[in-house]
Every structure is written in structure tokens, then in C-alpha cells.
Amino acid sequence: MDGSSSSKTSPGTVDISATGLPRGAWPTMITPFHEDGSIDYQSLQSLVDWFIDNGVAGLFTVCLSSEMYDLSNSERLELARAVKKYSTGRVPVVASGTFGRSVEDMADFVRSMAKEVDAVVVLVNQLASQDEDDDAWRCNVQKLLDLTPGVCLGLYECPVPYKRFISLDNLRWALSTNRFFFHKDTECKKVPIKAKIDVVKEFPDTPFRFLNANIETLQYSQSNGGDGFSGISANFCPAVIAWLCEHHSTREQAEQVQEFLGLSQNLIMWKYPCCAKKYHQMFGVTTMKTTCKASTPDFNDIETMALADLRSSIQDTRQLAGIPDLAS
């Protein structure tokens, strides 16, 4: 990376400008809330420790799983600051930062968020409206870069409020700026996934990481040169996902682990993110409530039993892969 990238190295900060982000599992973190909607920091600290004990490469907070659109700017900063504090430099932390009505507003918040985390995530769909083309998107991103010198950035194809995929040309351009360190891909199809990974390979010395958000294609993306996973499943079985990221070529075992992860996705998506909070509540990782900012659904007996079955299947898959049995 050139001098335009951040070189700060304060206590508890991971310097990604030189080495890049570590490869592996990057959970899109849920946010524990009290019943009054305030952040439950005690449960958050327990959650951070659980993730790290289960071998994650880093943490992505202030994301869609974190209910980022239902948080105020001050809550977004406080949440990111707390996750970074609780991680104590053991893993890097990234957080979304492009909130605001204008590029100038977004840049102002990105600069604030950059003081709290190791890299700030650019939400791809926030830099152009749905009817604007790729040229408009690139123009706005360039403006954002000009207004945020020295900030390490990432890209995320967030599906809300609308899903915008980054084109191959714009991905290539983003890599050429030396300001972006990862891309969280949500295209969920093998052909475009491989095409984007091939673009990254055009920059052999880049510390840029390609992170797949689609658990069903994780073994495929890893086998084609991907760098890891960042998605909702990592809130349930981060150690299993971390194992597959590393051992994707261990043929029979890896295929069995991939099959389990793919089959479990439908259950994991049911009433998410509340179901993830219910899962952690049921199995003693934290004392968090199932409270969500927008709405908090109830769980009937069948749904609760399904989460218990998921827990049992995760334990069986850990045993299959030879992963030590930790707290969960």
C-alpha cells in the first residue's frame, strides 16, 4: 500500500495497512439489547470473547446483523468502540460508516468511525441511487476517498435498502486506489464469485481480501482463491466455518461440513437476527435478551426445539472436523 493508507498503530490496534486483514471467518455480529432498546454491553463482551475463542479472524460490527439502520450515529460509534475495546487487539474490527444524505455527510461519519475501528466499511448501495449507473457510483466513491484521506476501507454489497453488486470494472478500479482492503460479496452465484476473485488475482501483491457472504458457496469460493467468509451463519458456528475456510481442500470432510452449513442456512435465516440471540440465550454463551430494535418475535416450542437440534448438529460437525469442544 502507498502512503495514502493509514499507518496508525496505537495500543490494541491491528495495523492492516501493511499486512492486510487475516483470512478466515468474519462474523457479522448481532447486537445484544436490553428490553428498553439500549445496548447490553455485558452480553456484548461475552459475545466478543466467544467469537474469538472459536477462532474467528476478525469481527464485523455495525452491519445489517447489528441492526445498523435502527441505530443512531452515536449508538453506531459506541457499539464499534465497545467491540474494539473488548477485542483487546486479539483480532481486527471493522464497521460500516457510510451513513448520511450526502457524500459529505458520509465522509464525516467515516472519519469518526475510523477513530474506533481498524477499517471502515463502505456500503456499496449507499454511494449511488438504484437508477444511477456505475460511472456515477465511481464518481461518488472517488469523492468519498478524497474526503477521507488515510482511512482504511472495505466494501460490502449490503442487500438493504436495495442490493447493488459492484461491477468487475469498479472492483478493479477500487483495487487500483490502494484504499480498499476487503470486499464482502453477496452475489451468491458461482460464476460472478469466481469472476471477482479473478479480478483480485490481477493484483498479486495486494492485501485485499475477498470474503464470501454466501455459506452455500463457501467451499467453492475458497477453492478458487477466496479469503474467507463474512455472514450470518458465523453467529452460530464460527469454529466450523473457520475450519472450512482453512481446510476446504480436505475433500470428504470438507464436503460434509459444507453440506451441513448449506442445509442449516434455512433455519438460521428464520426470524434472524432474533433467532441468533435466542440461540445464544439458550446455550449460555451470554444472558442476552432476544430483543431487537425494530420488532421482537416470539419463539414457539417447535422453533425452540429446532434451535436445540441445530446446536446438536453443530456439535456433531465439530466432532467430525476434529474441532475441540469449547463453550459452544
Side-chain angles (χ1 to χ4, degrees):
M1 287 294 177
D2 62 18
S4 65
S5 299
S6 173
S7 60
K8 63 181 182 180
T9 52
S10 57
T13 297
V14 180
D15 180 17
I16 68 168
S17 61
T19 61
L21 294 167
R23 296 174 172 87
W26 283 77
T28 50
M29 288 185 64
I30 56 174
T31 305
F33 295 109
H34 295 294
E35 290 182 350
D36 64 1
S38 60
I39 296 173
D40 176 359
Y41 288 104
Q42 181 178 350
S43 292
L44 181 66
Q45 184 171 10
S46 298
L47 189 62
V48 168
D49 288 337
W50 179 79
F51 278 130
I52 295 173
D53 288 345
N54 277 276
V56 302
L59 298 169
F60 183 4
T61 186
V62 192
C63 56
L64 202 55
S65 293
S66 311
E67 302 166 67
M68 63 181 178
Y69 289 128
D70 296 309
L71 301 175
S72 66
N73 275 350
S74 60
E75 286 176 317
R76 291 164 180 153
L77 291 171
E78 289 165 6
L79 176 60
R81 185 181 303 124
V83 172
K84 182 63 184 173
K85 175 184 175 182
Y86 299 149
S87 71
T88 60
R90 290 172 289 174
V91 297
V93 177
V94 304
S96 302
T98 47
F99 303 100
R101 293 183 176 273
S102 67
V103 176
E104 289 82 2
D105 289 343
M106 294 179 197
D108 184 58
F109 191 74
V110 165
R111 290 192 297 269
S112 297
M113 184 61 81
K115 298 174 184 177
E116 311 298 342
V117 294
D118 299 296
V120 183
V121 180
V122 173
L123 303 171
V124 172
N125 61 17
Q126 295 298 298
L127 272 298
S129 62
Q130 197 164 2
D131 59 352
E132 288 183 302
D133 62 17
D134 286 344
D135 289 340
W137 183 88
R138 186 186 304 191
C139 181
N140 287 332
V141 175
Q142 182 61 65
K143 186 175 182 180
L144 181 74
L145 298 184
D146 293 341
L147 292 171
T148 58
V151 177
C152 297
L153 300 170
L155 295 163
Y156 168 27
E157 292 173 337
C158 182
V160 178
Y162 79 98
K163 182 174 278 194
R164 187 184 189 100
F165 300 122
I166 188 169
S167 68
L168 298 182
D169 284 343
N170 274 345
L171 178 60
R172 189 176 288 110
W173 169 79
L175 277 154
S176 73
T177 68
N178 292 325
R179 289 289 303 279
F180 293 94
F181 289 81
F182 68 95
H183 167 65
K184 179 185 170 182
D185 191 82
T186 65
E187 201 139 3
C188 306
K189 297 177 182 178
K190 290 182 177 180
V191 171
I193 286 172
K194 185 177 184 302
K196 289 176 183 174
I197 293 173
D198 286 344
V199 168
V200 178
K201 290 178 180 178
E202 294 174 14
F203 298 79
D205 297 323
T206 182
F208 188 91
R209 307 293 186 231
F210 181 94
L211 304 177
N212 190 356
N214 178 241
I215 197 67
E216 291 93 334
T217 55
L218 178 56
Q219 186 183 15
Y220 175 83
S221 61
Q222 289 299 102
S223 297
N224 281 279
D227 298 301
F229 174 81
S230 183
I232 68 175
S233 300
N235 282 292
F236 296 82
C237 48
V240 173
I241 293 169
W243 182 91
L244 184 58
C245 287
E246 184 177 356
H247 301 282
H248 57 87
S249 60
T250 310
R251 299 191 62 178
E252 184 175 352
Q253 273 185 309
E255 289 170 3
Q256 291 177 23
V257 171
Q258 176 63 84
E259 182 180 12
F260 160 71
L261 290 171
L263 290 172
S264 67
Q265 185 70 358
N266 286 336
L267 174 58
I268 285 170
M269 293 177 65
W270 183 252
K271 295 186 178 180
Y272 185 83
C274 289
C275 66
K277 299 179 184 185
K278 180 70 173 178
Y279 180 88
H280 286 285
Q281 182 190 79
M282 286 172 62
F283 302 114
V285 174
T286 76
T287 58
M288 75 170 73
K289 307 290 185 182
T290 58
T291 305
C292 290
K293 278 282 193 178
S295 63
T296 304
D298 293 326
F299 291 86
N300 60 36
D301 290 344
I302 293 175
E303 291 164 341
T304 301
M305 289 172 60
L307 287 174
D309 289 342
L310 175 63
R311 157 74 175 212
S312 178
S313 296
I314 290 172
Q315 296 297 82
D316 289 344
T317 306
R318 290 181 70 123
Q319 185 174 9
L320 168 71
I323 302 168
D325 188 15
L326 300 177
S328 178

